[in-house]
Amino acid sequence: MERGRMSRAASSRPSELPMRVQDTNRMSMVYTTPQSKQPSFGKLSVAKCLSGTSERRTSFFGARSSGAGMPCNSTMSGFGGTEKIKDARPLHDKSFVQQCIRQLHEFLTEQSYPGTLSTKTLQSPSTKEFVKMFEFIYRQLDPTFEMPNSKVEEEVPAILKALRYPFVLSKCSMYSVGAPHTWPQALGALMWLIDNVKINWSLNKQELLFSDFCEDSNNIEEGPEYNKLFLDYTSETYAKFMRFEDTFDDEDDAFLNKLKRLYNVDEPLLAAMEEKHQILSAEVERLEKESQTDRLMTKRMERVKLQADLKKLQSYRSSLDTFMTNLQNKDLELNDELENTVSHLETLKHERNELQVLLQNQKFTPADVERINREKRELQQTISSLSKSLEDAEQHKWNEEIALAKLKEKAELKLTEYHKLARKLKLIPQTAENACGHDFEIRPFESGPGSTVQHKTQIQMLLRKLISDVEEENSRLSNLKLSLDESNEQVNSNIMDKSNDLKQMKEQIRKLDERLDCDMQELAREEQDWAAEMESVENHRKLLEKKVNFGYGEAVQQLKAAQQQYHLVLQETNEERRTVANNLASVFTTAANHLSITEKCLEDLHSRVQRVCSKAVEEDEAAVQKLWETLKTFKSKANSL
């Protein structure tokens, strides 16, 4: 039985944990069950007050003790440091924000939020609506809370700071809560406050505090002794934790000793079993190393079967121990009942003896006894008749009370419907928007029926006046709507006219764009023609140069031939020499004149082509500039329209 209890409560000692700053995987003590731990010999379960994240949870056990001024080992800002914790929640993710809005809407709807509520309103609420939602949620923690009418922008951050909200909600953000850059932070603060409300509800329900600690209804951990020990341990360690202490060695040792006394732990037996387990484990490892593979697998399978049988035997033994404990408890209860019955029997015997002695010693005659009996019967008849009349009167009273209760219930239902409708119409409370300072709330059974009728008459008069005011306002708004509809139709007709004008302007602009494209294409074609003409002129010049060079070379060759022949025909006549010289001079003169004339023609043609190209380019640039000015003019006119 001790081993079963130890296996359910086994865990490591809390003093073996590191400091709370380095431990980022802590679990809440309220939701930790001893059955979720793995069994280990010689150690008991000690649940710890640990948080689920690195953020500081809000304390619902009161403010910090005097140890709040002591130096702290932790570097977290939630414990008094100056560093700010970075919010790990994806508050700028649209899907996360929409999920938070749905959860906020569900919470407010379930708790019967009195104000106007819709998912569209929660997308960007005003500061007034945010303050109403904050006040409603905070009242789940403190029903007596009343939000002040002034400086609510300072009050909300101060309340969150007092609740130790780990992040900063600035006072400036309260002036524009519905803005896209401030609403996610405000929404995160509301979700954090809702989580605290739910945690507070779960802590207030005592039946849920240790409901998951064990599955067996006869387990001792559900008894008052274990709950008292556990609650004392958690309160002491939490008090030290709020005083910035990270170790709880003394409390751990005291709690372990109390648990050992409660479970009747036999430490020598546990130590011997653990030592025996270590020896057997070493023997198994040695045999596994020495044996072959097939034999090793066989032995392992046998060991698994034996372990399964051992677990079954242990569970059967624990169930037998539990059954035996239940039988012992029943035996003790029956013994107590038997002793009580025996003592009661002895008391009755003693009373009977006393009555017999009194009967024997009495001095009444038989006539006196008969008279007393007759009076006794008459008194009994009178008592029975009076009892019957009393029962009839009580039954009549009960019927009247039932009828009165039904009438009260119907009246309260009608009154609830009236108050609900009045809240929807913003007539309640007295400071509501449509109340105009009048009290429309009906309070029955306070000052008597006469005052109720008078109050009802007064409220009916105020409501009739309010209905007439609303009808007048409705008629005024209807007339205003008709005038606005007429003006809207006129504006729509003006818009249609302007749109038609705009379409015409766009059509003109399109035509101008097409004309501009045609002009640009024509200009490009002319440029291509000019380029082709320039190319033909260049080819002609090259051809002329080639011909001139060819004629000059031929003349040089002829000169050489003539010089060679000069020596041969030197003896010829001078006339022939002069004739040859004259012929050569005329050839050179003709070639030089032809070359100069060709160069002059090329220069004149080049200058003329340049003038024509520059003139055409200037004319095209002027035409393009004029088209751009026309386009800008049309655009300015279109924009002005």
Side-chain angles (χ1 to χ4, degrees):
M1 181 172 65
E2 290 78 10
R3 184 180 300 173
R5 295 171 181 171
M6 293 299 294
S7 65
R8 290 190 298 269
S11 176
S12 59
R13 291 174 60 87
S15 60
E16 294 174 359
L17 287 174
M19 303 294 282
R20 64 169 174 234
V21 175
Q22 287 79 13
D23 187 9
T24 59
N25 296 321
R26 298 180 176 179
M27 296 177 62
S28 177
M29 178 188 70
V30 178
Y31 303 104
T32 305
T33 59
Q35 285 77 11
S36 62
K37 306 291 184 180
Q38 295 296 331
S40 62
F41 293 96
K43 295 180 181 180
L44 295 172
S45 66
V46 181
K48 306 162 189 69
C49 288
L50 304 174
S51 62
T53 61
S54 60
E55 302 172 2
R56 184 71 179 266
R57 296 290 185 187
T58 304
S59 173
F60 295 99
F61 297 97
R64 291 186 180 180
S65 59
S66 60
M70 298 172 62
C72 179
N73 297 329
S74 175
T75 59
M76 295 175 62
S77 62
F79 291 94
T82 58
E83 299 181 1
K84 294 183 179 179
I85 301 177
K86 184 178 180 181
D87 196 347
R89 298 174 295 181
L91 294 177
H92 296 287
D93 188 2
K94 292 184 179 179
S95 59
F96 180 77
V97 172
Q98 294 300 322
Q99 181 181 359
C100 293
I101 289 174
R102 286 194 297 271
Q103 294 177 0
L104 177 61
H105 185 269
E106 291 175 0
F107 179 82
L108 295 177
T109 306
E110 291 175 357
Q111 302 305 319
S112 302
Y113 178 67
T116 329
L117 194 63
S118 66
T119 308
K120 186 176 181 181
T121 307
L122 296 178
Q123 298 293 333
S124 58
S126 62
T127 304
K128 185 177 180 181
E129 293 172 346
F130 174 78
V131 170
K132 287 183 179 179
M133 289 187 289
F134 182 85
E135 180 181 5
F136 178 77
I137 297 172
Y138 188 71
R139 279 185 178 178
Q140 308 300 320
L141 295 174
D142 185 8
T144 61
F145 173 73
E146 291 290 341
M147 181 66 73
N149 295 327
S150 61
K151 295 183 179 180
V152 292
E153 293 81 5
E154 299 178 0
E155 188 69 21
V156 172
I159 293 174
L160 290 173
K161 186 176 181 182
L163 290 175
R164 294 177 178 86
Y165 180 57
F167 310 111
V168 179
L169 188 64
S170 62
K171 181 175 66 175
C172 299
S173 63
M174 297 302 299
Y175 292 99
S176 58
V177 175
H181 63 283
T182 56
W183 172 232
Q185 283 76 14
L187 180 61
L190 289 179
M191 297 307 299
W192 181 84
L193 190 60
I194 289 174
D195 292 338
N196 285 335
V197 170
K198 292 180 179 178
I199 292 172
N200 190 25
W201 288 346
S202 64
L203 291 176
N204 288 336
K205 296 178 181 178
Q206 188 175 0
E207 64 272 13
L208 297 179
L209 185 57
F210 302 105
S211 61
D212 296 330
F213 269 33
C214 59
E215 298 176 357
D216 189 4
S217 60
N218 295 324
N219 197 321
I220 192 171
E221 291 180 1
E222 286 188 349
E225 296 84 3
Y226 176 82
N227 291 344
K228 184 176 183 302
L229 290 177
F230 188 79
L231 194 58
D232 293 338
Y233 169 76
T234 52
S235 61
E236 291 174 2
T237 52
Y238 186 80
K240 293 187 68 175
F241 180 78
M242 294 302 293
R243 293 196 298 270
F244 302 94
E245 296 181 13
D246 295 302
T247 57
F248 318 103
D249 295 334
D250 298 334
E251 286 77 10
D252 296 343
D253 295 335
F255 185 64
L256 286 173
N257 294 330
K258 292 178 181 178
L259 285 178
K260 288 176 182 178
R261 288 196 299 271
L262 179 63
Y263 291 112
N264 297 323
V265 177
D266 191 0
E267 292 185 351
L269 177 61
L270 291 176
M273 293 294 291
E274 188 174 3
E275 184 178 1
K276 185 177 180 181
H277 179 265
Q278 293 177 357
I279 294 171
L280 292 174
S281 300
E283 185 68 15
V284 168
E285 291 178 357
R286 184 181 61 80
L287 291 174
E288 287 177 353
K289 292 178 181 179
E290 293 177 358
S291 61
Q292 298 179 357
T293 306
D294 297 337
R295 184 181 175 186
L296 179 62
M297 293 300 295
T298 304
K299 293 298 183 182
R300 285 179 177 174
M301 294 299 294
E302 291 179 356
R303 187 183 67 174
V304 170
K305 291 180 181 179
L306 291 174
Q307 287 179 353
D309 295 338
L310 180 60
K311 289 181 180 179
K312 291 180 181 179
L313 289 173
Q314 288 178 353
S315 62
Y316 180 67
R317 179 185 174 186
S318 62
S319 62
L320 288 177
D321 292 339
T322 305
F323 182 69
M324 184 177 67
T325 304
N326 293 333
L327 289 178
Q328 290 177 358
N329 293 332
K330 290 180 180 179
D331 187 24
L332 293 174
E333 291 177 359
L334 290 174
N335 290 332
D336 294 337
E337 290 180 359
L338 182 60
E339 291 177 358
N340 294 330
T341 305
V342 170
S343 61
H344 185 62
L345 181 61
E346 293 294 334
T347 305
L348 292 176
K349 286 181 179 180
H350 183 66
E351 291 180 356
R352 187 187 64 181
N353 294 330
E354 289 180 354
L355 291 174
Q356 287 179 354
V357 171
L358 182 62
L359 181 61
Q360 292 175 1
N361 295 330
Q362 67 181 357
K363 299 179 180 180
F364 293 102
T365 60
D368 295 334
V369 172
E370 184 178 357
R371 179 177 55 80
I372 291 171
N373 291 330
R374 185 174 61 254
E375 292 177 355
K376 180 181 179 182
R377 285 192 296 270
E378 292 176 356
L379 290 173
Q380 287 179 352
Q381 291 177 358
T382 305
I383 290 170
S384 62
S385 62
L386 292 175
S387 299
K388 186 176 181 180
S389 61
L390 179 61
E391 288 177 358
D392 295 337
E394 288 179 352
Q395 184 65 30
H396 181 69
K397 178 184 176 183
W398 175 252
N399 295 331
E400 293 294 332
E401 288 179 353
I402 289 174
L404 180 61
K406 289 181 179 179
L407 291 175
K408 282 185 177 181
E409 186 177 357
K410 291 180 180 178
E412 288 176 356
L413 287 174
K414 291 183 179 179
L415 189 60
T416 304
E417 293 178 357
Y418 166 75
H419 285 164
K420 187 176 180 180
L421 182 60
R423 286 191 180 92
K424 287 183 179 179
L425 296 175
K426 297 182 180 180
L427 297 175
I428 294 177
Q430 192 171 357
T431 58
E433 182 178 354
N434 298 327
C436 300
H438 300 293
D439 189 8
F440 288 93
E441 186 175 1
I442 298 177
R443 301 177 181 85
F445 314 117
E446 288 186 359
S447 304
S451 61
T452 303
V453 173
Q454 183 179 0
H455 190 57
K456 180 180 178 182
T457 306
Q458 183 180 359
I459 289 175
Q460 287 178 350
M461 292 175 62
L462 293 174
L463 287 175
R464 290 192 186 96
K465 182 180 178 182
L466 183 61
I467 289 170
S468 63
D469 295 339
V470 169
E471 289 177 351
E472 292 177 359
E473 184 69 17
N474 189 16
S475 62
R476 186 182 66 80
L477 291 176
S478 300
N479 296 329
L480 181 61
K481 181 183 177 183
L482 292 174
S483 61
L484 289 176
D485 290 338
E486 293 177 356
S487 60
N488 188 19
E489 290 178 357
Q490 185 177 0
V491 170
N492 289 331
S493 63
N494 293 332
I495 290 173
M496 291 296 294
D497 297 337
K498 296 297 181 182
S499 62
N500 294 329
D501 296 339
L502 183 61
K503 288 180 181 179
Q504 294 177 0
M505 296 299 294
K506 286 182 178 179
E507 185 66 23
Q508 293 178 2
I509 291 170
R510 186 184 62 79
K511 292 180 180 179
L512 289 174
D513 289 338
E514 292 178 355
R515 184 178 176 184
L516 178 62
D517 293 337
C518 294
D519 293 340
M520 293 296 290
Q521 291 176 1
E522 185 178 357
L523 183 62
R525 285 195 298 271
E526 290 179 357
E527 289 180 353
Q528 290 178 359
D529 295 338
W530 293 335
E533 187 177 356
M534 286 291 293
E535 186 177 359
S536 64
V537 171
E538 185 69 21
N539 292 332
H540 184 64
R541 186 183 66 81
K542 289 180 180 179
L543 181 60
L544 290 176
E545 287 180 355
K546 184 178 180 181
K547 289 181 178 180
V548 169
N549 291 331
F550 179 75
Y552 179 75
E554 187 177 358
V556 170
Q557 290 178 1
Q558 291 177 2
L559 178 60
K560 288 181 180 179
Q563 287 178 355
Q564 290 177 359
Q565 292 177 2
Y566 175 75
H567 297 286
L568 296 176
V569 295
L570 186 62
Q571 289 82 14
E572 295 181 358
T573 62
N574 292 328
E575 187 68 23
E576 290 178 354
R577 185 178 61 183
R578 284 194 300 272
T579 303
V580 172
N582 291 330
N583 290 331
L584 290 173
S586 64
V587 169
F588 286 131
T589 302
T590 303
N593 291 332
H594 180 70
L595 181 62
S596 62
I597 290 170
T598 303
E599 287 178 353
K600 187 176 181 180
C601 289
L602 288 174
E603 288 176 357
D604 293 337
L605 182 61
H606 183 67
S607 61
R608 188 168 61 252
V609 168
Q610 283 184 349
R611 285 196 301 272
V612 171
C613 290
S614 61
K615 185 178 180 181
V617 169
E618 289 176 357
E619 290 176 356
D620 294 335
E621 287 179 353
V624 171
Q625 185 67 26
K626 187 176 180 181
L627 289 174
W628 277 109
E629 290 177 357
T630 306
L631 180 61
K632 289 181 180 178
T633 305
F634 279 114
K635 285 184 178 180
S636 61
K637 289 181 179 181
N639 292 328
S640 63
L641 292 177

